[in-house]
Amino acid sequence: MELLISNLALGFSVALSFENLMFALLGCVIGTAIGVLPGIGPVATISLLLPITFGQPATTAIIMLAGIYYGAQYGGSTTSILLNLPGEVSSVVTTLEGYKMARKGRAGAALATAAIGSFFAGTVSTLLVAASGPVLTKVALSFGPADYFSLMLLGLIISAVLAQGSVLKAIGMVVLGVGLGLVGTDVQTGQQRFTFGIPELSDGIGFVSIAMGMFGIAEIILNLERPESRNVLSSKVGSLFLTKEEWKRATPSVLRGTVLGSLLGILPGGGASLAAFGSYMMERRVSKFRHEFGTGAIEGVAGPEAANNAAAQTSFIPLLTLGIPANAVMALMVGALIIQGIQPGPRMVEAQPDLFWGLIASMWVGNLMLLVINLPMIGVWVKLLQVPYKYLYPSILIFCSIGVYSINNNVFDVYQTLLFGIFGYLCSKLRLEPAPMLIGFVLGPMMEEHLRRAMLLSRGDPYVFIDYQTRPISTVLLAISAVALISMLLPSIRKGKDKALAE
């Protein structure tokens, strides 16, 4: 306990420095703004802002990017409640009850419920990150190369299992991401692979180019082809104070959402969206007022909003302790750390204590900032909703191009980003999720490195991965991966058999 307190004291000394405080505030404001503005999202925004992190210290850059992520979870509720239009995927559920509350004149109460629930969940889940981080780090230090390979394989499989749409398409995107991650020069042999004689690919495909293209540029193209319709609620927001009855109903939902979101956020491929949907379904089952769902039940706002913010915070646990990204945003965080020359994983606590504990402390600071930013400034966010997208996207494209070019001062990176932008647009049309591909791109080179190490240490014996006596962790992880893969493919196999029998 004393060690935890001393570590948190170190974290707050880092987080409360003027520079980190300002960048945490900047991240929270940007996160809230992109959460409010429909059609942008934290993944696209963080990928667009990666170039500006190069000139900043690693701790400052990660604090800002983290603020954007959990800030978007706060801001997304504003559009969901006032416009019936989710600014962020995890806020889709909030539209079901939040907008109905607004139509009944309780928009202020819905916004206050979302902000207070998010603040409480963020505070509790950050405490969970602080408490569990060092424990999991000690466990992870016992991992060998075979264990790490099996863990990363499990992460890829679960990211495909939890992806929306076709399972086979998700697996295909994971494999494509791993393949793209292997482009460049082989570290051990020095041989170039998959470069097709293009010198610029000798160092591999740029992480910023693929992230910015697949999420940033592709999202802009998709937004331009959609008809823009934003009918902001014409009536007054109303009082932000909840009645005694609303407090009584919302409090248990916030507690349940916090617990569920904290657990689901840790799962690879889970994150805020899964937590929000899961919380809403749970509230519909356990609430005493389930008959009010669909007409403006406050439980349908309190639970999901607490869950998505809790999940946003706890998704940092596998990133900081194991170096495994739980979702697309965490994959971007891994990329940002690697760009800064930091390898995320269990040794980061010892090697980079300022970054580890500074980031955790900044989450508390950021949650307090977001509470202040969101409630008193609702009028500002409502005005921001009225800005037409046609005035936003040109500046985004210009900033994007300058940012990509400034990394290596090479126009090839701009062309590469544009190419991935077109590919990302085509993937959206074909209902191919880019998130599994990005996770595969990040984990692919790491998997290869640990696979080679494991094979060298075992002198080429492949049984090192499934030998329960010497590597029990690897064996268990591979067994879980197999079960997850079978459970994922089984419905498709049964469907195919039923179709064949019907014919």
Side-chain angles (χ1 to χ4, degrees):
M1 188 65 182
E2 292 181 4
L3 181 61
L4 177 61
I5 293 173
S6 64
N7 286 330
L8 287 176
L10 170 64
F12 277 107
S13 68
V14 173
L16 294 177
S17 68
F18 180 78
E19 184 180 18
N20 290 337
L21 208 56
M22 289 300 101
F23 274 90
L25 178 61
L26 177 64
C28 290
V29 171
I30 294 174
T32 303
I34 60 103
V36 166
L37 291 171
I40 301 180
V43 179
T45 304
I46 291 174
S47 64
L48 293 172
L49 291 177
L50 277 177
I52 72 169
T53 64
F54 296 156
Q56 299 296 331
T59 303
T60 303
I62 298 303
I63 285 174
M64 184 190 72
L65 296 180
I68 293 172
Y69 179 42
Y70 53 77
Q73 313 307 321
Y74 273 76
S77 61
T78 303
T79 49
S80 300
I81 293 167
L82 299 181
L83 275 81
N84 196 31
L85 186 64
E88 166 56 17
V89 178
S90 59
S91 298
V92 171
V93 180
T94 310
T95 61
L96 301 176
E97 306 300 330
Y99 186 67
K100 299 290 195 312
M101 287 183 67
R103 294 293 296 269
K104 293 195 299 187
R106 298 299 294 159
L111 290 167
T113 301
I116 295 169
S118 296
F119 174 75
F120 175 81
T123 303
V124 173
S125 56
T126 303
L127 181 63
L128 180 62
V129 175
S132 63
V135 176
L136 290 175
T137 297
K138 289 181 180 179
V139 174
L141 286 173
S142 64
F143 280 31
D147 304 319
Y148 266 112
F149 172 81
S150 301
L151 178 65
M152 291 177 182
L153 181 63
L154 175 62
L156 290 180
I157 290 175
I158 293 181
S159 69
V161 170
L162 297 178
Q164 298 177 355
S166 170
V167 171
L168 292 177
K169 287 181 179 179
I171 294 175
M173 292 299 282
V174 168
V175 173
L176 177 61
V178 172
L180 291 174
L182 299 180
V183 173
T185 304
D186 189 322
V187 178
Q188 293 190 4
T189 65
Q191 295 292 319
Q192 292 191 8
R193 52 189 184 184
F194 311 121
T195 59
F196 302 101
I198 302 173
E200 288 83 357
L201 291 179
S202 59
D203 290 331
I205 296 173
F207 176 81
V208 176
S209 295
I210 194 170
M212 196 177 286
M214 292 294 293
F215 293 97
I217 303 297
E219 193 67 29
I220 290 172
I221 299 172
L222 288 168
N223 288 333
L224 288 175
E225 72 174 15
R226 295 175 187 143
E228 189 174 19
S229 176
R230 300 184 191 175
N231 299 316
V232 181
L233 191 71
S234 57
S235 60
K236 290 184 178 180
V237 171
S239 174
L240 295 173
F241 293 99
L242 276 66
T243 64
K244 186 177 180 180
E245 178 65 20
E246 286 172 337
W247 273 111
K248 188 177 179 181
R249 291 175 56 177
T251 302
S253 299
V254 170
L255 294 174
R256 286 191 291 264
T258 300
V259 173
L260 182 66
S262 297
L263 295 174
L264 292 180
I266 301 173
L267 295 177
S273 302
L274 180 64
F277 279 95
S279 175
Y280 184 77
M281 297 304 295
M282 182 172 67
E283 290 303 318
R284 289 197 65 168
R285 289 178 178 272
V286 303
S287 174
K288 296 179 181 178
F289 303 90
R290 62 180 71 117
H291 59 280
E292 292 187 17
F293 276 75
T295 62
I298 195 170
E299 294 89 345
V301 176
E305 284 298 317
N308 68 30
N309 204 265
Q313 311 278 19
T314 56
S315 60
F316 282 90
I317 291 177
L319 169 69
L320 295 175
T321 59
L322 302 173
I324 304 295
N327 50 51
V329 175
M330 292 302 109
L332 291 172
M333 294 290 184
V334 172
L337 288 169
I338 292 174
I339 288 168
Q340 294 278 354
I342 297 172
Q343 183 64 45
R347 300 196 181 276
M348 198 169 75
V349 180
E350 298 175 0
Q352 301 286 336
D354 290 357
L355 190 153
F356 186 89
W357 293 106
L359 175 60
I360 290 174
S362 74
M363 292 180 185
W364 268 308
V365 177
N367 273 284
L368 185 59
M369 286 179 175
L370 285 166
L371 190 64
V372 176
I373 289 170
N374 275 266
L375 291 180
M377 295 179 64
I378 285 173
V380 175
W381 304 125
V382 171
K383 290 290 183 184
L384 186 62
L385 289 170
Q386 298 171 351
V387 178
Y389 190 73
K390 64 182 179 181
Y391 297 131
L392 291 175
Y393 85 86
S395 57
I396 296 174
L397 281 175
I398 292 171
F399 179 80
C400 173
S401 302
I402 293 173
V404 173
Y405 180 79
S406 65
I407 298 171
N408 297 314
N409 294 325
N410 193 339
V411 73
F412 178 82
D413 293 337
V414 180
Y415 294 143
Q416 189 174 228
T417 304
L418 180 61
L419 181 65
F420 278 111
I422 296 170
F423 179 65
Y425 172 75
L426 293 175
C427 286
S428 297
K429 289 297 181 183
L430 296 172
R431 297 186 178 181
L432 297 169
E433 275 199 78
M437 189 189 93
L438 186 64
I439 294 175
F441 179 78
V442 171
L443 293 182
M446 298 183 194
M447 284 182 65
E448 182 198 19
E449 179 184 350
H450 290 298
L451 174 64
R452 285 185 166 187
R453 285 182 182 177
M455 295 301 285
L456 284 171
L457 291 172
S458 66
R459 298 184 178 181
D461 183 8
Y463 291 102
V464 67
F465 298 101
I466 56 174
D467 188 348
Y468 185 76
Q469 292 184 344
T470 58
R471 304 275 15 137
I473 298 175
S474 175
T475 307
V476 171
L477 291 173
L478 286 178
I480 296 172
S481 301
V483 171
L485 191 61
I486 292 169
S487 63
M488 176 175 59
L489 296 174
L490 204 57
S492 300
I493 296 171
R494 285 179 178 174
K495 190 176 180 181
K497 286 183 177 179
D498 292 342
K499 188 176 179 181
L501 290 171
E503 292 176 355

